[in-house]
Amino acid sequence: MGGRMTLPLTLYRIGMTLLEPAAASLLVSRRKKGKEDPERMGERRGLAGRARPAGRLAWVHGASVGEVVSLMPIVERLTRRGFRVLVTSGTLTSAAVLAQRLPPGAAHQFMPLDVPRYLRRFLDHWLPDLVLFAESEIWPNAVFAVRARGIPLLLVNARMSERSFRRWRQAPKSARTLLEQFDLCLAQSQADGERLARLGAPRVGIAGNLKFDVPAPPADARTVASLSGIIAGRPVWVAASTHGGEEEIISLVHRALMQRRPGLLTIIAPRHPERGEAVADIAHRAGLNVALRSEGALPERDVDVYVADTIGELGLFYRLAPIAFIGRSLVPLGGQNPIEPAKLGAAILHGPHVYNFADIYAAIDRAHGALPVADAESLAQALAMLLKDTARTRAMARAAAQTVESLGGALERTMRAIEPYILHMDLRHNG
């Protein structure tokens, strides 16, 4: 499968080979910034952190939290059929979430950097029988290393935004050569599938978005009950997955509403929990009383802003707050996934910048399960309305949940599509 490697791809391969010493330095720099696990640095250089289990092994890769969480139903299906599954990702947060959610029979490693020698080490050790990459994780050296060994390679939950499509169109031969390496690309939507096909993917199917089939994030029932008791009677909302530039807006919104809504509690869950202290400082400078969950503090009555700077607890806060603003959307970064709050019964607010999840937001907006806002003033107006009109809030929450439920089914379509490759794994090991 696939044709001769193009000049840009050849130069990329040579460049990554020559830059191996620089890659090692990059890892050291990232470790110093707290972006790498110092005890697992070897995994980023292809050095395995554990032994390969016996039997059939599927390697499943997603970039970060959203991607690997969406892959969990597939991982669970494969382990139930007796396969061992190696899940790789590239961020500390995703590793922490996977430590909580991986089923028996699955293990996590950090994805090696796209350096040929690192990938050879990785594949020599793990010897996968099937490889699934998620969404838009198309690392050239990884793709060619897998294909060189004749391992079936699939792109699942595949996404190709208009912006990415335009970039790939600038190197059409390289795009075609890379996509030809995939045995199958299962796209999230018709538009994604058409863009992949136009770029040269030879086999494209439309399976839908796996994120709709992911169970709602868990929460400890005793913790939910305890915090519900502490905040009982207070108007509360959560600003989830926020990024720099948004917390200032959220603090302004709280100040604008606190006189009209006495006791208002704003929960801020930053997308990167390590920003907790910086977020707290922003709220402090706005004259608000702040408590950080990472320090063991609770949202007592005198707390205006509760910074939820922990990993894997969004399920808790979506259960506590009837209204969820989803961040990365008031700044031009493309938004975050609204499916989890929709499944957990929250009315959703979001900014204008949601191009990474445009179809999902469009569907929930059409069903009146979400409201778009543009700035601090419109966010404050929307919140004031929803905090006052609880019937409207509940109706929005129901509409969001029903929309998400109606868009499910991608897991079954994906499993049907990859069944021939699972059978191929069986034959290889039983033949």
Side-chain angles (χ1 to χ4, degrees), residues 100-101 216-231 236-238 240 265 267 269 293-294 297-299 306-324 340-341 344-346:
Q100 299 171 354
R101 297 206 196 180
D220 179 75
R222 287 171 298 183
T223 306
V224 174
S226 172
L227 289 184
S228 294
I230 291 170
I231 67 175
V236 57
W237 67 296
V238 60
L265 174 65
I267 301 169
R293 182 153 180 80
S294 62
L298 294 171
Y306 190 51
V307 180
D309 55 339
T310 49
I311 292 173
E313 286 199 305
L314 267 179
L316 166 65
F317 297 107
Y318 288 145
R319 284 172 171 87
L320 294 174
I323 304 162
E340 290 184 348
L344 289 171

Side-chain angles (χ1 to χ4, degrees), residues 37-383:
D37 185 335
E39 296 182 5
R40 298 177 62 182
M41 294 279 284
E43 294 173 27
R44 300 290 258 152
R45 294 183 287 114
L47 297 167
R50 59 179 69 206
R52 185 206 189 276
R56 299 159 297 177
L57 179 79
W59 170 25
V60 176
H61 172 68
S64 189
V65 176
E67 293 84 359
V68 294
V69 167
S70 71
L71 291 168
M72 283 303 96
I74 291 179
V75 172
E76 289 166 3
R77 291 287 186 95
L78 289 171
T79 56
R80 285 209 298 265
R81 296 204 27 192
F83 299 111
R84 300 298 182 135
V85 183
L86 174 70
V87 182
T88 59
S89 65
T91 65
L92 290 175
T93 309
S94 61
V97 169
L98 286 170
Q100 299 171 354
R101 297 206 196 180
L102 276 181
H108 174 262
Q109 296 277 275
F110 285 108
M111 176 72 173
L113 298 185
D114 204 37
V115 173
R117 192 160 72 104
Y118 295 173
L119 291 159
R120 280 197 301 273
R121 279 180 189 155
F122 178 87
L123 291 169
D124 285 346
H125 177 85
W126 290 106
L127 299 172
D129 300 283
L130 174 67
V131 179
L132 308 179
F133 288 168
E135 300 206 11
S136 51
E137 285 294 279
I138 307 174
W139 291 98
N141 289 331
V143 166
F144 285 112
V146 169
R147 290 305 304 170
R149 295 172 185 237
I151 306 167
L153 175 62
L154 282 66
L155 189 64
V156 298
N157 218 34
R159 191 159 57 90
M160 178 61 66
S161 69
E162 184 62 37
R163 178 180 295 190
S164 296
F165 176 72
R166 287 196 299 268
R167 277 203 304 266
W168 279 110
R169 283 294 290 266
Q170 294 172 15
K173 290 183 180 178
S174 294
R176 175 176 292 276
T177 300
L178 263 177
L179 290 170
E180 282 178 345
Q181 310 310 310
F182 287 91
D183 292 272
L184 179 63
C185 295
L186 292 173
Q188 292 184 14
S189 70
Q190 191 70 37
D192 292 310
E194 287 172 2
R195 292 181 193 121
L196 286 163
R198 286 171 65 188
L199 288 173
R203 290 192 61 207
V204 177
I206 313 300
N209 192 335
L210 286 168
K211 290 184 171 74
F212 289 112
D213 293 331
V214 176
D220 179 75
R222 287 171 298 183
T223 306
V224 174
S226 172
L227 289 184
S228 294
I230 291 170
I231 67 175
R234 299 182 67 181
V236 57
W237 67 296
V238 60
S241 299
T242 59
H243 283 245
E246 292 182 317
E247 291 91 8
E248 291 87 351
I249 294 172
I250 291 158
S251 299
L252 285 174
V253 167
H254 185 101
R255 284 195 63 84
L257 295 178
M258 60 193 297
Q259 299 304 321
R260 283 184 283 167
R261 304 297 302 181
L264 177 66
L265 174 65
T266 296
I267 301 169
I268 302 179
R271 177 69 178 82
H272 300 291
E274 65 272 14
R275 293 186 57 245
E277 289 188 9
V279 172
D281 186 55
I282 290 166
H284 271 305
R285 291 202 306 271
L288 302 172
N289 292 328
V290 187
L292 284 95
R293 182 153 180 80
S294 62
E295 295 179 353
L298 294 171
E300 304 289 359
R301 193 75 194 178
D302 63 339
V303 172
D304 298 313
V305 173
Y306 190 51
V307 180
D309 55 339
T310 49
I311 292 173
E313 286 199 305
L314 267 179
L316 166 65
F317 297 107
Y318 288 145
R319 284 172 171 87
L320 294 174
I323 304 162
F325 165 76
I326 310 303
R328 212 186 186 200
S329 61
L330 285 173
V331 288
L333 293 171
Q336 291 289 155
N337 186 348
I339 295 172
E340 290 184 348
K343 287 194 172 190
L344 289 171
I348 294 167
L349 302 173
H350 64 86
H353 305 290
V354 292
Y355 53 80
N356 284 337
F357 303 93
D359 293 344
I360 301 172
Y361 277 103
I364 299 176
D365 286 351
R366 279 196 305 272
H368 305 293
L371 278 175
V373 296
D375 49 27
E377 183 180 359
S378 56
L379 176 56
Q381 289 172 350
L383 267 173

